[in-house]
Structure formats: structure tokens, C-alpha cells
Amino acid sequence: MTTIHHSIHPEDRQVMVGMREQMTPMKGSISGPEARVPFDSMMQQVAAAPGVTYETATVGGVEGVWCRPVDAADASAAILYFHGGAYVIGSALAYRNFVGQIVSLTRTAAFVPAYGLAPERPFPAAVEDARAAYAGLVALGLTKIALAGDSAGGGLALVLLSWAVAQARQTGNPSPICAAAMSPWTDLALAGETMRSRAEADPLLTRDSLATTARLYLGEHSARDPLASPLHGNLADLPPVLMHVGEDEILLDDSRRYADLVAGQGGWCEVHVWEGMVHVFQSNFALLRAGKASLKAIAEFLEHQLRSSGLTKQKVAT
């Protein structure tokens, strides 16, 4: 595993003081469907990227949103992006502007599926929708597909990665080119050491709130099922994986532990840890230098891997 640490910029340090004051009253509030409206309202405030169009569509039987650049670099390439929200909140429509930023930077179309959310559609609905959306992109003739996501969506992207790689070996269908995840939730058993050591530093997430949403999603199902927690999946022979995570979030170890296991299988997984940053800080790219820099690095990784037709274990300059 390669870990790259990014020091906080003095301007970001000042911005984070104000952001933490705003976040503190909301700490641990994402614990069920009642948070859907305020969460979507927050994500919809993300600025739209120039040169990107949006349309609702159905891919593989899964509804969602296409985010398309007006100057696509490669019509055979696409990004399959899974929104965050602890498997209980979030929506494709609310995330379209955020994903549009990546689309603009990579000049690659992205489909954001409206995968099933708990408690109405508990596990394994999200996984089934993810598989169907991926199969739908393949059926459309797309041969270079990158997976991406944030938070629970980042974990779902990594669940799909292991499954799609295994399917490609069995069927000859295209395997994902790479995966990029922001603050991914890879262990729904919540066993990472930073669940404790970052509990005070994290102004947004709590172990209790994550445990509540995990129960809504999983019911009595084991949190250690690889289809729920990619940390426990088959991590052999994966394409390159990139992770960006805040140093002050309780999910920090979800990235580091996953990357350690990938490296133990001989794979390439690079983790970028951003000093003073919190969960999915990239959504605040308009205010944070780190947010903008992280999005740019993620986009460069995705673009390089897609343009290189998925040459495995080829590191990019970030």
C-alpha cells in the first residue's frame, strides 16, 4: 500500500474552523430516512460544472442520471458513480452536479444509479442494482468502465469491483478499468481503530449513527458478508484502486485497512490522507483548496486509467 499525506493549507485551516462550527449540531444526525430531504438539499447546492448536460435514464433496469460532457474524449468509456448516504439517504438527482465536476474534468460520461435504499429496499437491493447497472453499461457497448463513489457509495463501488472482476474471469465480459473512492465505508462491522481514535475529531459521523444505518440496511444479515463490506471480499487481481480520505474522520481506517489487504494480494491501492479534512470534503471544493485538489487528482487518475485502456498497476502522477 502507498499512503500519501497532504498537509493542510493555512487558508483551509481557517475555513475548516467555520465548517466545523456548522457541522457540530448535525453530528450523528444521519441515522435514517428522515435525513433525506436536508441531505439532498445540501448536495443540490453544489455548483454545476460547465459543459456538462444531464438526463434521467434507465440502464440495466435501474433508473438514474446520465452526466455527459459536451466534448467526450472517448465514447466507449464511462464512469459508474455511486452516491453516498449510508445506504439510507442520497439520490442520483441530488448528486448530479457533484458528479458533473468529475465528468467535466475527465471528459467522460458518468451514470449515477438510483440504487435501492433501506429500509424500503434493504440489503442486498443496492448490490443487485449496482450489478444490473454495470451489466447495462456493458450491454450498451461500453468497454472501458471505471467505478467511483463516496462514503457508502464508495463501499458499494468496491463491492461491485470484486464481483465484476470475478465475473469477467468466468464470462469474458469487460472488467472494470479501475476504481476511485472518497471516504469509502468498507467495513459495516465498524471494527476500524479510528472509530475510537477519531471519534472526537470527526464533526459529522458517529459510530452509533453508522451502526443504526447498518442495521436498517442489513437487518439480521452479517456485516462481514463481502457483499456488504468489501473489506471482507476477494481482493485478488483487482485493477488499480485510488482512495482519498480525511484524516479527521472515523472512516479513515476503512480506507487504510482495505488498501493493506489489496497490497497483501499484490494489487495496487493508493490512499491519500488529507490533514484536517472530514468526510467527503471534496463536496466543498468551492471553499476548500484540498477539496479542489483532491477532485483534480481523482479525475486525473480516472482519466489516465481510462485512456490507458486499463493497464493494471500503472501509477499516475498525483
Side-chain angles (χ1 to χ4, degrees), residues 75-165:
S76 67
I79 299 166
L80 183 56
Y81 189 98
F82 297 96
H83 67 77
Y87 294 107
V88 298
I89 66 173
S91 69
L93 280 172
Y95 259 76
R96 66 180 192 171
N97 286 350
F98 182 54
V99 178
Q101 296 293 331
I102 299 172
V103 168
S104 177
L105 290 168
T106 60
R107 295 168 56 213
T108 301
F111 183 69
V112 189
Y115 61 86
L117 299 178
E120 298 90 343
R121 296 187 63 214
F123 178 86
V127 178
E128 292 170 347
D129 286 348
R131 289 174 172 177
Y134 184 82
L137 293 180
V138 172
L140 289 174
L142 295 162
T143 57
K144 290 179 279 187
I145 302 171
L147 307 182
D150 65 278
S151 194
L156 184 56
L158 297 174
V159 167
L160 178 63
L161 181 68
S162 288
W163 175 83
V165 167

Side-chain angles (χ1 to χ4, degrees), residues 12 69 195 254-255:
D12 281 356
M195 286 287 161
D254 278 49
S255 290

Side-chain angles (χ1 to χ4, degrees), residues 29-30 32-43 85 87-91 94 116-121 216:
S29 62
I30 298 177
E34 64 277 1
R36 287 175 185 169
V37 171
F39 183 76
D40 277 6
S41 296
M42 178 185 68
M43 291 306 301
Y87 294 107
V88 298
I89 66 173
S91 69
L117 299 178
E120 298 90 343
R121 296 187 63 214
L216 286 173

